[in-house]
Amino acid sequence: MPATTMIAGLIGDPVAHSLSPHMHNAAFQSIGLDAQYELWPTAHDGLAPRVTSLRRENIIGANITVPHKQAVMPLLDGLSDKARRIGAVNTIIARDGQLHGDNTDAYGFNRSMAEATGHLVPASALVVGAGGAARAVLVSLQDAGVAVIILVNRSQITADALAGSLNAPGRPVVQVRPWNSMPRLVASAAMLVNATSVGWHGEELPFGMDVIAALPDDAVAMDLTYRSTAMVRAALARGLRGVDGLSMLIYQGARAFELWTGQPAPVDVMRRAVLAEQARRS
Ligand code: NDP
């Protein structure tokens, strides 16, 4: 690799499964940029030296994934407002030896939601899950002006803490409701979002089929899991609009690409690369 090749990469543990190298390397190639995206598996005690290594001249930035999205924050020179509000960094931009933390997950969710709804802002949304991804989803829903935002999580205490940190004057309120009220609550929800980590394996669902059955006929069901999940299949079988997390993944990557390169992301190229890699693996 020539010494002038620009480099970005993914910091996390594990990272081997990631689709990001396929998406970003295809994008770099398509716009003729001499750049390469690498995988940087990093255990907890290797995080600080890894971040220091990003200050090298030819590094343009990095993505951060589980389990370092929060831990990386104090190691950076600056943070975007979005990263501060979400409380997590998924993208680092390296410029002149300075490292700036941002979060593109909320943008990714917003673009994916717009695709799913035909750019209409849903009147209400019920979000299931209260981890890092849910935080980005909730910020995105607040910023989109969704009037009724309901949060349900298996551990309600975690949901209460999350809502408390996001609720502020001038923003739509995130209302926490008990887990077992889900079937009743979804009956008036324009959108259901699965932001739990359940959905990666076989037919698993984070909630009962009664939740999907209770959705209104014009509801949108979004799953952050980027595979064809049981939840999305059940929604589609009912004739609802159902989307998995692939578009969110692509758009968060597209935004990171733009922050690193200053150039418009070739979203179609990135989507094709991700779909091709998924097909190769299945
Ligand atoms: P976290 O580990 O931070 O949060 C996991 C959440 O899932 C918690 O709310 C947890 O509830 C809940 N949960 C776990 N097991 C169960 C269960 N058996 N039943 C009900 N709820 C459960 O994960 P993240 O927020 O980082 O990620 C969530 C998902 O989003 C993952 O699948 C991830 O791959 C995906 N994701 C997709 C992105 C995309 O671009 N499409 C971007 C980022 C994430 P509790 O608090 O009770 O433990």
Side-chain angles (χ1 to χ4, degrees), residues 66 69 105 129-134 153-155 158 179 195-198 200 206 224-226 245-246 248-249 252:
V66 176
K69 284 184 172 185
D105 282 336
N153 192 47
R154 180 178 61 173
S155 325
T158 313
W179 182 261
T196 74
S197 45
V198 182
W200 285 102
L224 300 200
T225 318
Y226 35 92
L246 200 73
M248 176 177 171
L249 178 80
Q252 65 74 31

Side-chain angles (χ1 to χ4, degrees), residues 26 38 42 77 100 104 117 120 134 237 269:
E38 301 179 345
T42 306
D77 303 307
H100 185 77
T104 66
T117 63
L120 292 175
V269 169

Side-chain angles (χ1 to χ4, degrees), residues 12 29 38 50 56 88 118 136 143 168 187 190 248 257 262 273 279:
Q29 209 179 353
E38 301 179 345
R50 177 71 75 191
R56 291 201 319 267
D143 289 355
M248 176 177 171
F257 180 96

